Amino acid sequence: MSNSYRALTRKYRPQSFDDIVSQEHVSNTLLNAVEQDRIAHAYMFCGPRGVGKTTMARVLARVINGIDDTVDGEALNQTLNIIEIDAASNNKVEDVHHLRESVRIPPQNGRYKIFIVDEVHMLSKAAFNALLKTLEEPPEHAIFIFATTEPHKVLPTILSRVQRFDFKRIAVDEIVTRLEKITRDEGITIDHESLHVIAKKADGALRDALGLLDQAIAFCGDHIQHHELLKALNVVGSDRLFEFMGFVTQRNSSGGLELIHTLLQEGYDIQEFLVGLVEHLRNLYVAKQSRKMDLIEASAETKSRYQKEAQSLDATDIMRYLYLVSEHQIKIKEVSQPRISFELMFLKMVHLEPLDGLKKLIAKVQVGGVDVSDAVEAPQAAEDATETSDAIEVSKTIEEPEPAQESEPPSSTRKEKLSFLDRIDLGAPSLSDNQDHTKETTPSTEAEVPNEAVEAGGNEQVQPEEDAPQKETGNNDQKQLSFDTITAAWEDFVQGLSGKIPKILELQVERVQPVDLVGDVLKLECDNPLSKQMLDQQSRELCLHLKDHFGYMLRLHIEVINEHAAPKKEKNSYEFFKELIKKDPILKDIVDKLGAELEY
């Protein structure tokens, strides 16, 4: 019985243009050319595997020569008028010479003699060149049909002599429709989800899909079940992908590690799982952002499940997961322990802080005084603060000013918040950043002012009296530091750097001099660009030492003395002697009369 069995890929090979799936742009053009008697002498069929290139060539040969449908497509090669050649095994110059001799022989019956050359890109360069003349000016009865999956390997001189047709990949839905028809004809029972699994694994090739269906029938029999099909084809089902992402969103590390162990025990390849996971995350993003569910290649039931699962995820979180998995998909090919690397990727996804949590944390910080406009959300943020230990600590630090804020009018609260922001030390270089002033204006001290004001019963009157001395003190501190003070203590500062900084940097500091103080910017001058480069690189460290010495945080601006002036060129002895001759007429007469010259 096995001798009479024919695989589905051979049994259901198309016999006419109407049977070819998803290549209407090619079949319609060729059919019109035949009807209008405008048949070219050479065609090139390009495209991925399993999309019908060789089948289209056989159908075209059948239509041109008017061969009956009773003759099978594979039997066309046995006729004398249709010659099919495999260029992978006949790629030498001698094979092309034999082909040229065959071209000269007219057809035995019919009008044309057709040569189908499959995988033509396998011909050598010498073989292509030997075919050029015959291909450009063949006999009237000869037609060449080339098929290739790699047209970029074909010489441009060949491509310029043929009509090129590019075949496209077959869509999943079209493959599913074709498989449904074949399973009905074969009496096979299969669910729609299983057909989608086969069509997606075929990757746009109908021939591959028929081969997978043949394999599934051999494993499952006439009644194909979805779970049995996944085992037969070793395909990661959508249920496993949904389960994996469920463990990620639920922060269930132990469940996810157990699932990974189960997948490896069942023989699933990690690389294949990551490929499926990338597509799964992409489908979740499409379901979240787009209403066009036709962008997802899946059954209607799976599409609805994608829509349901996407509602609980943020689009930004999906993109973060997608980026992490796609990066790991590339790196896992090079690691020595793929399983551990895969588990680490899962744990990263589990512990990746969701965007919703970050938004809540930002809201709690804003309620604490950074953004007054969102203060109305304080009660809700206080409830959310109990979710994490970090949020609890933040909420504790902002509980003290609340009584004063409730008793003050909105305008006073706004003023207090802004003055609090003005006194926050964010580490930016500032002339008013002395240590005493910072200690006097800490948030804790500011928090005590409203409480005292409430006890006194005059909140609006006490607050300006507390602010005024602080502002006056800050202005006095700024006036204390002058350029004269810096120049007077500069030598002491340079000597104090001994042993605190590298010796080479200390030597460079000794070569600079302060020239001006503008605000908190101290201008220095050095004598060469190298010193400027070294000082610029270590300016942060020098600013810290300046703060320790003078009590103020300064910024440095270093310039080179006469940096833009052109350097004077030193004169050699001969040029100097020439200038002396021009200036001294007596010396010029001596040189002219005696022929004196400078020896050097």
Side-chain angles (χ1 to χ4, degrees):
M1 182 176 180
S2 60
N3 295 331
S4 61
Y5 174 74
R6 296 184 67 187
L8 296 178
T9 54
R10 299 175 60 190
K11 183 178 180 180
Y12 289 94
R13 185 184 289 271
Q15 301 290 329
S16 64
F17 287 119
D18 295 334
D19 296 335
I20 299 177
V21 179
S22 188
Q23 309 299 339
E24 290 81 6
H25 64 292
V26 179
S27 57
N28 292 339
T29 304
L30 295 177
L31 188 58
N32 291 336
V34 173
E35 293 176 353
Q36 299 174 15
D37 197 17
R38 298 179 61 89
I39 303 173
H41 65 274
Y43 294 95
M44 176 77 72
F45 294 161
C46 311
R49 70 183 191 284
V51 295
K53 299 184 296 296
T54 305
T55 299
M56 185 73 75
R58 291 177 178 177
V59 171
L60 178 61
R62 181 193 298 275
V63 173
I64 289 175
N65 278 340
I67 300 177
D68 196 286
D69 292 341
T70 56
V71 179
D72 188 76
E74 296 178 359
L76 291 176
N77 193 29
Q78 300 175 4
T79 63
L80 297 178
N81 293 342
I82 300 177
I83 301 173
E84 190 169 339
I85 303 171
D86 178 21
S89 55
N90 300 276
N91 55 4
K92 299 179 181 179
V93 178
E94 293 80 5
D95 300 321
V96 174
H97 288 167
H98 179 71
L99 177 62
R100 291 171 56 186
E101 294 298 327
S102 302
V103 169
R104 296 161 61 180
I105 303 175
Q108 300 298 319
N109 51 28
R111 182 179 176 184
Y112 295 102
K113 193 169 186 177
I114 303 171
F115 297 87
I116 301 175
V117 183
D118 203 4
E119 301 298 334
V120 70
H121 64 274
M122 299 295 289
L123 289 177
S124 63
K125 185 176 181 180
F128 272 128
N129 292 328
L131 186 61
L132 282 178
K133 190 63 177 178
T134 303
L135 185 62
E136 185 175 12
E137 299 176 358
E140 294 183 357
H141 60 266
I143 296 177
F144 292 93
I145 303 177
F146 301 139
T148 178
T149 57
E150 301 180 31
H152 58 278
K153 292 185 178 180
V154 181
L155 294 181
T157 51
I158 296 292
L159 294 175
S160 63
R161 289 169 169 82
V162 300
Q163 286 189 12
R164 174 172 172 172
F165 292 90
D166 290 292
F167 287 61
K168 62 181 181 180
R169 291 184 180 274
I170 305 175
V172 172
D173 292 338
E174 293 178 330
I175 295 178
V176 169
T177 303
R178 182 67 174 175
L179 293 180
E180 286 178 342
K181 182 178 183 303
I182 293 175
T183 51
R184 284 197 302 267
D185 296 341
E186 293 290 322
I188 304 299
T189 304
I190 185 172
D191 59 286
H192 200 67
E193 188 68 27
S194 298
L195 291 176
H196 270 276
V197 171
I198 295 175
K200 288 177 62 177
K201 190 173 179 59
D203 193 22
L206 182 57
R207 182 179 61 209
D208 293 4
L210 292 175
L212 293 173
L213 179 60
D214 233 342
Q215 182 179 346
I217 295 173
F219 183 83
C220 305
D222 295 340
H223 302 280
I224 300 177
Q225 302 294 329
H226 182 65
H227 65 280
E228 294 180 352
L229 176 69
L230 296 179
K231 292 181 180 179
L233 303 181
N234 197 28
V235 176
V236 180
S238 58
D239 293 338
R240 291 292 179 86
L241 296 173
F242 279 112
E243 184 181 2
F244 182 87
M245 287 306 301
F247 288 133
V248 171
T249 55
Q250 297 168 10
R251 303 289 185 262
N252 189 348
S253 302
S254 59
L257 293 176
E258 291 177 2
L259 175 61
I260 293 174
H261 176 74
T262 303
L263 292 173
L264 296 178
Q265 290 294 321
E266 293 177 357
Y268 289 103
D269 182 61
I270 294 178
Q271 188 69 25
E272 291 292 332
F273 185 85
L274 291 177
V275 171
L277 185 58
V278 168
E279 184 181 3
H280 180 77
L281 290 170
R282 176 259 182 194
N283 292 340
L284 284 174
Y285 185 83
V286 172
K288 181 70 175 180
Q289 295 293 99
S290 176
R291 297 181 180 179
K292 296 182 179 180
M293 295 302 293
D294 55 337
L295 298 177
I296 299 177
E297 296 178 342
S299 62
E301 181 181 355
T302 305
K303 289 181 180 179
S304 62
R305 189 173 180 183
Y306 274 121
Q307 285 182 318
K308 181 180 178 181
E309 294 292 332
Q311 298 303 320
S312 60
L313 293 173
D314 188 90
T316 306
D317 290 335
I318 299 175
M319 286 300 302
R320 294 163 72 195
Y321 292 142
L322 184 59
Y323 177 78
L324 182 61
V325 176
S326 60
E327 286 291 315
H328 194 76
Q329 180 185 354
I330 300 174
K331 296 178 181 178
I332 201 170
K333 300 177 182 179
E334 303 175 358
V335 299
S336 58
Q337 294 180 323
R339 173 173 180 169
I340 295 179
S341 181
F342 182 36
E343 291 174 343
L344 287 176
M345 182 209 72
F346 166 73
L347 294 176
K348 286 182 181 179
M349 297 176 68
V350 168
H351 293 285
L352 194 65
E353 183 67 24
L355 184 63
D356 184 59
L358 295 176
K359 289 180 179 179
K360 291 180 180 179
L361 184 59
I362 293 173
K364 292 164 190 160
V365 175
Q366 290 176 342
V367 172
V370 177
D371 191 353
V372 184
S373 61
D374 295 335
V376 289
E377 299 177 5
Q380 182 63 33
E383 294 178 3
D384 296 336
T386 58
E387 295 177 1
T388 60
S389 60
D390 294 339
I392 292 175
E393 294 177 1
V394 174
S395 64
K396 287 180 179 179
T397 60
I398 64 174
E399 284 178 357
E400 296 179 0
E402 289 182 359
Q405 293 175 357
E406 293 177 358
S407 61
E408 290 180 354
S411 60
S412 177
T413 304
R414 179 76 177 183
K415 182 176 181 182
E416 179 188 347
K417 293 295 184 181
L418 295 178
S419 63
F420 170 71
L421 288 176
D422 293 337
R423 292 191 298 274
I424 292 178
D425 184 7
L426 299 179
S430 174
L431 184 60
S432 59
D433 268 351
N434 61 78
Q435 298 176 353
D436 297 335
H437 181 62
T438 305
K439 293 179 181 179
E440 293 175 2
T441 58
T442 55
S444 61
T445 306
E446 181 67 21
E448 296 173 358
V449 174
N451 292 334
E452 296 174 358
V454 172
E455 294 175 0
N459 183 26
E460 295 183 358
Q461 298 177 358
V462 174
Q463 180 65 28
E465 294 178 359
E466 292 292 333
D467 288 343
Q470 292 178 356
K471 294 182 179 179
E472 184 179 355
T473 303
N475 293 334
N476 291 336
D477 291 341
Q478 293 180 3
K479 293 178 181 178
Q480 288 176 2
L481 184 62
S482 63
F483 179 67
D484 294 336
T485 304
I486 295 177
T487 54
W490 184 256
E491 295 297 332
D492 295 337
F493 166 70
V494 174
Q495 294 177 3
L497 294 177
S498 178
K500 297 180 180 180
I501 60 175
K503 189 64 177 178
I504 187 172
L505 181 60
E506 182 182 347
L507 295 175
Q508 301 303 324
V509 175
E510 293 177 354
R511 303 179 63 167
V512 300
Q513 292 294 331
V515 294
D516 194 8
L517 177 65
V518 180
D520 60 347
V521 178
L522 178 61
K523 294 185 178 181
L524 303 177
E525 279 191 352
C526 59
D527 56 358
N528 62 82
L530 180 60
S531 298
K532 170 179 168 54
Q533 182 179 1
M534 294 183 61
L535 294 172
D536 285 337
Q537 293 175 353
Q538 303 296 329
S539 61
R540 179 61 181 172
E541 183 178 357
L542 294 177
C543 290
L544 295 177
H545 288 295
L546 284 170
K547 183 177 181 180
D548 294 339
H549 190 81
F550 294 103
Y552 296 90
M553 191 65 183
L554 301 174
R555 291 183 294 166
L556 298 181
H557 178 71
I558 304 168
E559 297 180 349
V560 181
I561 301 176
N562 296 329
E563 181 178 2
H564 302 290
K568 296 183 178 179
K569 183 179 179 182
E570 296 183 359
K571 301 177 181 179
N572 54 37
S573 302
Y574 183 76
E575 293 175 347
F576 184 70
F577 181 67
K578 286 290 186 183
E579 289 186 359
L580 289 179
I581 295 175
K582 294 179 180 179
K583 295 179 180 179
D584 192 344
I586 298 176
L587 182 61
K588 184 177 184 301
D589 291 340
I590 294 174
V591 172
D592 293 339
K593 294 179 180 179
L594 302 180
E597 292 183 359
L598 180 66
E599 293 183 0
Y600 63 95

